[in-house]
Amino acid sequence: MAHDFTGVHALVTGASRGIGEAIVRRLDAGGARVALVARSADRLGAIAAELANRPLVVAADLSSEESVEIISSTVLAEFGGLDVLVNNAAVERNEPASKVTGRAIDETLFVNLRQVLVLSSAFAKPLFAARGSIVNISSTAATGAGGTQGAYAASKGGLDTLTKNLANEWASKGVRVNGVAPGLVDTEMWEPTFERLGEESVREGFAKRVPMGRWGQAEEIAAVACFLASRDASYVTGQTIRVDGGMTNI
Ligand code: NAP
């Protein structure tokens, strides 16, 4: 069952598909008005058309410096404040360290880490006023990636540290900051890997690494993210919860 988000204004980055879309749908089902942020305006519009609570679509590219100003001014003009910020958008590239470029590293760290802090900062005052909550979508790669994920893993490791630091910095303001670290989740993020290594062998081979024996679904990540965002998690802050079918316990 969805948590009660009646009267809540929320913003989700990376809302156009996968885990972000599932979080948006769950927040909306709980009664929240949600701002959907990503680059694909068409996909955002199609999702928004199915939501119940007058969503707001903000097409923006977080790899650009000016996107944060566009997002914050649009959202605050429409919502007048913000209760929940979900930093979910991310760039994931599988590149051997011997071939990775500085530009690819910069973009990964910029979108996955730098912009999370800048966006959180841009919404600091409204979040303080609302005694709101931030949820950062991390990854089990933060604590031990499977290789060829150097920049991505480093960005998520940095994100977990940021979650803890911001939680302590803003605790006295009444703002909680938490994270969710998914394991293997069946989303479009995996398409390049499927293309490179073969979909069936990746699906079956990777599932063997998970004690629960299967991939997770985006909704199973959204459920934990929305718990952390909700009033039911009122004494939880600075935590990143792994949602990985037990994979990192091995
Ligand atoms: P996904 O299907 O690839 O979705 C990524 C989302 O981020 C899309 O909505 C994409 O939208 C948005 N995005 C990417 N670059 C952007 C940019 N420059 N500006 C604005 N939006 C941008 O991935 P997912 O699996 O749902 O992943 C969501 C989160 O979970 C990410 O933080 C990822 O690291 C994390 N995660 C996923 C898995 C997994 O197995 N799937 C595992 C661990 C962690 P547009 O393309 O429309 O801009």
Side-chain angles (χ1 to χ4, degrees):
M1 202 172 71
H3 293 278
D4 181 11
F5 291 111
T6 308
V8 165
H9 290 103
L11 188 167
V12 180
T13 68
S16 62
R17 59 178 187 259
I19 291 168
E21 176 183 351
I23 294 171
V24 165
R25 290 188 185 278
R26 204 172 175 95
L27 288 167
D28 177 75
R33 266 195 92 184
V34 188
L36 290 73
V37 174
R39 291 165 299 186
S40 315
D42 290 355
R43 291 182 77 153
L44 292 178
I47 295 164
E50 294 176 4
L51 302 179
N53 302 301
R54 293 187 299 131
L56 175 67
V57 166
V58 187
D61 182 350
L62 282 162
S63 68
S64 80
E65 179 101 35
E66 57 275 14
S67 59
V68 170
E69 168 56 26
I70 294 164
I71 295 165
S72 58
S73 59
T74 310
V75 169
L76 293 176
E78 180 67 22
F79 286 177
L82 193 74
D83 303 275
V84 170
L85 171 61
V86 181
N87 291 302
N88 166 76
V91 177
E92 197 270 347
R93 286 198 190 83
N94 251 298
E95 281 161 335
S98 57
K99 292 188 179 152
V100 74
T101 64
R103 181 183 280 230
I105 297 167
D106 287 348
E107 193 200 349
T108 304
L109 294 175
F110 194 92
V111 173
N112 299 9
L113 179 57
R114 189 256 199 204
Q115 292 293 64
V116 172
L117 180 52
V118 176
L119 199 62
S120 301
S121 175
F123 283 104
K125 280 187 184 161
L127 286 169
F128 295 168
R131 300 182 74 78
S133 157
I134 296 175
V135 180
N136 295 325
I137 306 302
S138 178
S139 169
T140 51
T143 45
T148 67
Q149 278 188 308
Y152 178 76
S155 75
K156 296 299 190 179
L159 185 61
D160 287 359
T161 302
L162 173 61
T163 295
K164 285 189 266 190
N165 187 81
L166 209 52
N168 285 353
E169 187 176 335
W170 286 359
S172 63
K173 306 288 187 187
V175 175
R176 296 180 301 103
V177 185
N178 290 292
V180 180
L184 302 173
V185 185
D186 192 359
T187 70
E188 288 176 39
M189 199 186 87
W190 285 92
E191 275 178 8
T193 308
F194 290 158
E195 273 166 33
R196 217 176 55 250
L197 303 174
E199 179 164 351
E200 222 174 280
S201 69
V202 171
R203 282 191 183 281
E204 285 174 15
F206 283 29
K208 288 186 187 138
R209 304 177 187 176
V210 184
M212 288 183 73
R214 66 170 177 87
W215 289 56
Q217 297 300 315
E219 292 71 22
E220 295 176 293
I221 309 304
V224 179
C226 288
F227 160 66
L228 291 171
S230 78
R231 297 174 193 101
D232 288 346
S234 55
Y235 199 51
V236 183
T237 197
Q239 304 304 310
T240 294
I241 299 180
R242 289 174 182 165
V243 184
D244 67 355
M247 189 171 65
T248 45
N249 294 332
I250 298 175

